[in-house]
Amino acid sequence: MIEVDNPILPGCHPDPSVCRVGEWYYLVSSTFEYLPGLPVLRSRDLVRWETIGHVVDRPGMLEFDGIGSSGGLYAPTIRHGLGLYWVVCALVDRDDASRGGNFLVTATDPAGPWSDPVMLDAGGIDPSIAFDDDGRVWLHGTRLAAEPEWPDQTEVWVREYSPARQALVGEEHVIWRGAVRGAVWAEGPHLYRIDGRWFLIAAEGGTEFHHAVSVARADRITGPYVGNRANPVFTHRHLGRTSEVIGAGHADLVQAPDGSWQAVMLAMRAADGRHYPLGRETFLCPLSWEDGWPVFAPGEGRLPRTVRIPWPASAAPPGSWQPDDRVAGVIAPADPRWTALRALPAEVAVAEGGAWRLPVRATSLREASAPAFLGVRQQHQDVEVRCVLDVRGLAEGESAGLVLRQSERDHVTLFVSRTAEGLLLSSERRRAGDALRQDHGAPADADEVEFALSGRGYDYVLRHEGVALVTADGRELDASATGGFLGLWIGVHATSGGADPRGEARVTRFEYAPARPGRRDR
Ligand code: 6LW
């Protein structure tokens, strides 16, 4: 028996999808406008996860320029079938429905490389894929209902996929519109063939406070599907705003080698029942079967704080494996946690001897383009980040600093700018597009500038050389305040503010640590 604290993947890891192949579990989650996209994590025990690669890790695999915050890569599904690993996902531009769409990639090794995307002739989001015993492959997903009975009603479609033709073939079937009359956003569908029947797991209620999980089953994959009378079979919405975990839903099921079942799903830690700066995180949920139906968190009915898993802890995987989200300390350039915006980290920066050289770009954080930005998810509610920027290479008019980011419209920065008179330290709080800027005089050091960020629940403080210069409120920066789907990211940024960029900053040190190591972070 091993125990693991929920969430199993803290920080923004929404829409988790999991599969098992032999002794390994593989998991992917949504990454939106951050690249590399779709981390692939593996585990032998569902407890300790290691990032082994990313699905979208090459320049030009997909076009992200112009895709605004909380657009991009949504809700991937990972499966193994026909001797290959498959990921299906949607690329979404929230301002331009003609861009992107559902796509599919395959790999012989889940660490990559993954194939170039095959775009699928199917609208909507949240694609998934299932393999029948007879070798046929079926894609499914969700989209706004063609003939809605109420606003935001969606429908789940299923259609055969021909690997030979790399195309959807045959008739399309609409199999589900939510379990409850009036249900919005029946989504995140996954189909499973279990004991000769087809089971559909789907979210409904929207990926916020009213999120829920429903289940239906059918004799044939194309239906008709009959919902469980207990639908929605899992939710936290009835717990109200005093529940410390809200929004549970978007589940995917996996069976262990011993025959037992678990589910992964997203949920949010919201101390006030509403706001969740870390975004939607991945939780583990025990699952049993009763009377031919899955029961989530049997006997308990909610996501456990600590999950007891009925198998021995796995041997440590090969190499210098550590659960990468729990490691405190310096995040070196080779660390898989680094992300950039709409471009790969290696496209905007150069790893040089343990440091990042970050050439200044004209783009600012306000544009849906690829700025000179490198960042990591905030994964702990109480956190300390410290970075040292060598700013000798900044040209006049250019600036570089530390960022707490939600979106183009919502972020907080503490930065230095090179002016004709020397370096100037400033901060900017941007909220719903409006900026409040303050100048704080000259930094203590003209070569290497130290910035730090402390997060304690909803309270953030950004410092220079130990002096608090700007604060931020996580209740104003989180997705429920700003809209969208993201948790907060902490990173570094350099810009020339639109002028021709000439200089660079060097990120000589970037440290990330839970504020109270050893304590449970909740
Ligand atoms: C995801 C969908 C959802 O595709 O949020 O509102 C999207 N619902 O299931 C992004 O995570």
Side-chain angles (χ1 to χ4, degrees):
M1 174 85 78
I2 41 175
E3 293 191 344
V4 58
D5 286 346
N6 262 325
I8 55 166
L9 296 179
C12 183
H13 285 285
D15 314 319
S17 173
V18 67
C19 72
R20 182 178 62 81
V21 182
E23 61 177 358
W24 290 104
Y25 297 90
Y26 298 98
L27 188 149
V28 291
S29 63
S30 303
T31 43
F32 304 91
E33 72 267 30
Y34 288 98
L35 291 175
L38 312 180
V40 181
L41 296 102
R42 72 171 179 177
S43 172
R44 275 183 184 149
D45 54 15
L46 293 172
V47 173
R48 296 182 297 171
W49 292 92
E50 172 195 22
T51 303
I52 55 168
H54 287 82
V55 174
V56 181
D57 68 349
R58 295 190 299 277
M61 268 176 94
L62 291 162
E63 186 51 60
F64 288 83
D65 198 47
I67 290 186
S69 176
S70 284
L73 295 170
Y74 278 28
T77 299
I78 187 164
R79 295 287 184 263
H80 186 261
L82 307 179
L84 289 172
Y85 292 87
W86 302 68
V87 166
V88 286
C89 187
L91 178 70
V92 177
D93 184 334
R94 297 169 90 199
D95 303 314
D96 180 357
S98 71
R99 278 188 72 175
N102 291 306
F103 66 89
L104 168 159
V105 289
T106 56
T108 50
D109 180 345
W114 289 83
S115 69
D116 284 331
V118 174
M119 298 309 295
L120 299 168
D121 181 20
I125 54 168
D126 296 4
S128 186
I129 188 166
F131 298 86
D132 203 347
D133 300 339
D134 60 6
R136 292 170 83 182
V137 184
W138 295 88
L139 279 168
H140 37 291
T142 194
R143 63 181 178 215
L144 284 169
E147 291 169 21
E149 298 158 89
W150 49 79
D152 296 335
Q153 186 185 30
T154 58
E155 59 193 22
V156 173
W157 57 270
V158 60
R159 199 173 166 199
E160 189 172 358
Y161 177 76
S162 161
R165 292 168 53 188
Q166 296 200 324
L168 292 160
V169 293
E171 204 186 329
E172 181 192 86
H173 304 262
V174 171
I175 58 168
W176 191 245
R177 300 177 124 212
V180 174
R181 272 198 72 73
V184 296
W185 303 112
E187 60 191 1
H190 293 300
L191 287 168
Y192 313 84
R193 185 153 176 75
I194 300 168
D195 293 339
R197 273 198 280 215
W198 284 96
F199 284 83
L200 168 71
I201 299 286
E204 66 188 55
T207 187
E208 236 279 348
F209 187 78
H210 296 103
H211 215 191
V213 182
S214 286
V215 55
R217 67 187 184 197
D219 293 329
R220 290 184 310 171
I221 191 165
T222 51
Y225 281 82
V226 177
N228 186 332
R229 285 188 190 177
N231 275 334
V233 289
F234 193 74
T235 183
H236 275 207
R237 62 191 176 201
H238 61 293
L239 299 173
R241 299 278 182 190
T242 55
S243 173
E244 65 175 18
V245 174
I246 64 169
H250 204 118
D252 195 9
L253 313 189
V254 70
Q255 190 176 23
D258 69 358
S260 63
W261 290 79
Q262 303 281 334
V264 293
M265 70 176 77
L266 72 83
M268 301 82 95
R269 288 181 287 173
D272 68 352
R274 287 173 199 277
H275 297 287
Y276 42 93
L278 273 61
R280 298 169 300 154
E281 309 178 282
T282 292
F283 287 69
L284 189 64
C285 183
L287 190 97
S288 66
W289 290 82
E290 292 177 16
D291 308 321
W293 292 103
V295 178
F296 291 80
E300 199 169 355
R302 62 161 90 179
L303 290 170
R305 278 175 167 230
T306 303
V307 184
R308 283 174 197 82
I309 309 183
W311 54 79
S314 63
S320 57
W321 183 86
Q322 297 212 58
D324 54 25
D325 54 283
R326 312 258 158 108
V327 177
V330 174
I331 305 187
D335 195 294
R337 281 173 287 182
W338 282 114
T339 59
L341 285 163
R342 305 175 192 90
L344 295 160
E347 291 180 277
V348 298
V350 185
E352 270 179 8
W356 280 114
R357 187 161 67 77
L358 185 62
V360 172
R361 291 190 168 207
T363 314
S364 78
L365 292 171
R366 298 191 302 280
E367 293 124 63
S369 186
F373 168 90
L374 293 167
V376 299
R377 290 168 181 79
Q378 182 188 346
Q379 297 196 277
H380 300 84
Q381 293 178 309
D382 297 333
V383 69
E384 291 290 336
V385 172
R386 181 177 162 266
C387 75
V388 179
L389 299 183
D390 177 340
V391 295
R392 280 174 290 189
L394 284 185
E396 196 175 318
E398 297 178 344
S399 59
L402 181 65
V403 186
L404 177 64
R405 177 184 192 269
Q406 164 67 232
S407 68
E408 287 83 70
R409 291 161 57 83
D410 300 276
H411 50 258
V412 179
T413 53
L414 180 60
F415 57 96
V416 288
S417 313
R418 187 168 298 287
T419 72
E421 291 78 44
L423 287 180
L424 174 66
L425 193 59
S426 310
S427 60
E428 188 177 277
R429 277 196 287 194
R430 190 163 283 273
R431 169 88 182 88
D434 293 331
L436 181 67
R437 183 182 162 140
Q438 276 185 293
D439 293 334
H440 308 285
D445 186 323
D447 296 338
E448 294 219 308
V449 184
E450 193 230 35
F451 296 113
L453 175 146
S454 308
R456 295 290 183 279
Y458 295 130
D459 300 324
Y460 294 85
V461 181
L462 281 71
R463 298 190 171 84
H464 167 62
E465 296 290 345
V467 181
L469 294 176
V470 60
T471 60
D473 185 339
R475 287 166 295 203
E476 295 182 351
L477 281 177
D478 84 312
S480 71
T482 63
F485 297 120
L486 286 165
L488 297 184
W489 251 252
I490 302 164
V492 290
H493 168 57
T495 181
S496 60
D500 274 349
R502 289 169 291 148
E504 65 178 37
R506 289 177 68 85
V507 189
T508 54
R509 202 169 175 84
F510 192 95
E511 294 166 19
Y512 177 104
R516 286 172 290 176
R519 260 193 64 151
R520 277 189 187 166
D521 182 72
R522 29 174 126 263

